Amino acid sequence: MLATIIEDICDEYDAFSSYSWVATTYPIGLSISQPFSGQLTNLMGRRYGLVLCLSVLAVGQLLCGLAPRLSVFLLGRIVQGLGAGCIGTITAFVETDLVSMRKRALIEGIGNITYGVTLALGGVYGGGVANAIGWKWAFRIQVPFIILDIAMVAFYLNIPQGKSRPIRRPVDYVGMVALLVVIILFQFGMNAGGSAFAWNSAAVLTTLILAALGFLAFLFWEFYKAENPHIPVRALLQRTVAASQLSSFFSNFGNTSIMYYVPVYLEVLGHSPGQSGLRFVPLALCFALGSFAAGFFAKITAKYYYINF
């Protein structure tokens, strides 16, 4: 959705120099909250953890839909990411609670069909709403559906009590804040370099150096000081986990580039946001069908390794 209306957003706020911020503030919130999802379910349980995250997502949607200036919109995008990051992960926890390992890949594939269809419709929806009544309504219209989702989770989600019961463990607030600061510093340096400042300017170099030092400090804290680390760095060093994370990194690298910069190219060619959205439908449908096919193959063969080739 955002990919097809980002041009309109930058136009309204006269903020083309902040184009990458509009695109990446959501992943900033996502990257902070996603590691926290396990600790959140320890504190609140699966059901109420989801209710809280959906509520945060609704607040972020409202901030984006009502934002009078760019700073408020970017805050809304971060809040959206904070809510959405935990939603995806906690949903995966619920899936492991309710679905056997043999069937899990197929269920995940069916879920990704829904995701793929929504992804296909998202570009058309965003572009169509922007053309008809303005891009802010693309965010506002979603709020009632999120509220409905909150009600469904609160009243109908049925998880075995032993798996949903809260477990009291200390929260690594230091690690959480440190990671947020590091990501923002790095993002600022990468965004400002070559646009607002030269790459060898003091502002860019200082920001990137501080981000590197902060990241080293974050790793030291997570390795040696945190009682319940925000990110279990030692787990990331395991071969299987590390390989999956690198795969995710590179696939998202390419996907983000396509999703946010191809619409700019299309609009330069004269296509409207709605027309740009239509051109993303094949990509989304292939994602959905490919995911279902992989899940079906895993279910009937009980093998996961070879699918990655």
Side-chain angles (χ1 to χ4, degrees), residues 5 8 10 56 90 120 130 159 166 172 180-181 195 207 215 247 250 261 267-268 291:
I5 64 174
D8 294 336
C10 291
V56 172
I90 296 175
I159 307 172
D172 183 18
L180 175 62
V181 172
S195 56
T207 304
F215 183 64
S247 174
F250 286 114
Y261 290 99
E267 293 196 26
V268 168
S291 178

Side-chain angles (χ1 to χ4, degrees), residues 33-53 85-97 153 157 159-171 176 228:
S33 68
Q34 201 164 46
F36 178 63
S37 54
Q39 300 186 37
L40 181 64
T41 56
N42 288 339
L43 291 171
M44 305 183 65
R46 309 280 205 255
R47 183 198 307 271
Y48 296 110
L50 272 176
V51 167
L52 174 62
C53 294
C86 285
I87 290 170
T89 311
I90 296 175
T91 301
F93 296 163
V94 173
E95 184 180 298
T96 60
D97 293 339
V153 169
L157 182 61
I159 307 172
Q161 182 61 30
K163 295 182 178 180
S164 63
R165 185 181 295 117
I167 303 171
R168 300 299 175 187
R169 291 179 181 172
V171 177
M176 192 186 310
N228 184 29

Side-chain angles (χ1 to χ4, degrees), residues 246-303:
L246 285 172
S247 174
S248 177
F249 173 80
F250 286 114
S251 63
N252 279 288
F253 192 105
N255 186 58
T256 301
S257 300
I258 292 170
M259 292 297 292
Y260 287 107
Y261 290 99
V262 169
V264 176
Y265 173 73
L266 292 174
E267 293 196 26
V268 168
L269 294 180
H271 297 290
S272 69
Q275 292 171 330
S276 298
L278 284 172
R279 282 159 175 77
F280 279 92
V281 171
L283 174 67
L285 293 180
C286 287
F287 171 87
L289 294 175
S291 178
F292 177 77
F296 182 76
F297 180 82
K299 180 180 183 299
I300 63 175
T301 64
K303 297 183 183 298

Side-chain angles (χ1 to χ4, degrees), residues 10-168:
C10 291
D11 272 340
E12 174 152 340
Y13 296 124
D14 191 22
F16 275 95
S17 61
S18 301
Y19 185 95
S20 64
W21 282 105
V22 176
T24 56
T25 42
Y26 176 85
I28 287 175
L30 204 73
S31 62
I32 298 303
S33 68
Q34 201 164 46
F36 178 63
S37 54
Q39 300 186 37
L40 181 64
T41 56
N42 288 339
L43 291 171
M44 305 183 65
R46 309 280 205 255
R47 183 198 307 271
Y48 296 110
L50 272 176
V51 167
L52 174 62
C53 294
L54 286 164
S55 301
V56 172
L57 178 63
V59 171
Q61 291 288 124
L62 278 175
L63 284 172
C64 291
L66 301 174
R69 53 187 179 276
L70 180 64
S71 59
V72 178
F73 179 83
L74 295 180
L75 175 62
R77 290 291 290 165
I78 292 177
V79 173
Q80 279 182 311
L82 290 172
C86 285
I87 290 170
T89 311
I90 296 175
T91 301
F93 296 163
V94 173
E95 184 180 298
T96 60
D97 293 339
L98 303 179
V99 182
S100 67
M101 178 65 77
R102 184 67 181 266
K103 296 180 179 179
R104 200 170 298 160
L106 181 61
I107 297 299
E108 186 73 19
I110 294 172
N112 280 333
I113 288 179
T114 307
Y115 175 78
V117 171
T118 308
L119 187 65
L121 295 175
V124 180
Y125 161 78
V129 171
N131 290 340
I133 54 179
W135 65 265
K136 288 185 178 180
W137 281 100
F139 292 96
R140 297 170 187 169
I141 291 172
Q142 295 182 56
V143 175
F145 294 97
I146 298 174
I147 293 173
L148 176 62
D149 202 0
I150 292 171
M152 294 288 288
V153 169
F155 294 107
Y156 291 102
L157 182 61
N158 184 20
I159 307 172
Q161 182 61 30
K163 295 182 178 180
S164 63
R165 185 181 295 117
I167 303 171
R168 300 299 175 187

Side-chain angles (χ1 to χ4, degrees), residues 141-245:
I141 291 172
Q142 295 182 56
V143 175
F145 294 97
I146 298 174
I147 293 173
L148 176 62
D149 202 0
I150 292 171
M152 294 288 288
V153 169
F155 294 107
Y156 291 102
L157 182 61
N158 184 20
I159 307 172
Q161 182 61 30
K163 295 182 178 180
S164 63
R165 185 181 295 117
I167 303 171
R168 300 299 175 187
R169 291 179 181 172
V171 177
D172 183 18
Y173 294 110
V174 174
M176 192 186 310
V177 173
L179 183 60
L180 175 62
V181 172
V182 167
I183 291 174
I184 290 177
L185 285 172
F186 181 73
Q187 169 69 13
F188 177 83
M190 295 299 290
N191 182 68
S195 56
F197 303 97
W199 280 107
N200 60 355
S201 67
V204 172
L205 292 177
T206 300
T207 304
L208 293 178
I209 290 170
L210 287 174
L213 293 175
F215 183 64
L216 292 175
F218 168 77
L219 291 178
F220 176 80
W221 174 266
E222 297 295 283
F223 264 116
Y224 301 109
K225 297 295 183 181
E227 183 177 348
N228 184 29
H230 181 57
I231 295 180
V233 181
R234 296 181 193 277
L236 297 179
L237 300 180
Q238 298 175 12
R239 185 182 66 179
T240 301
V241 177
S244 67
Q245 295 305 308

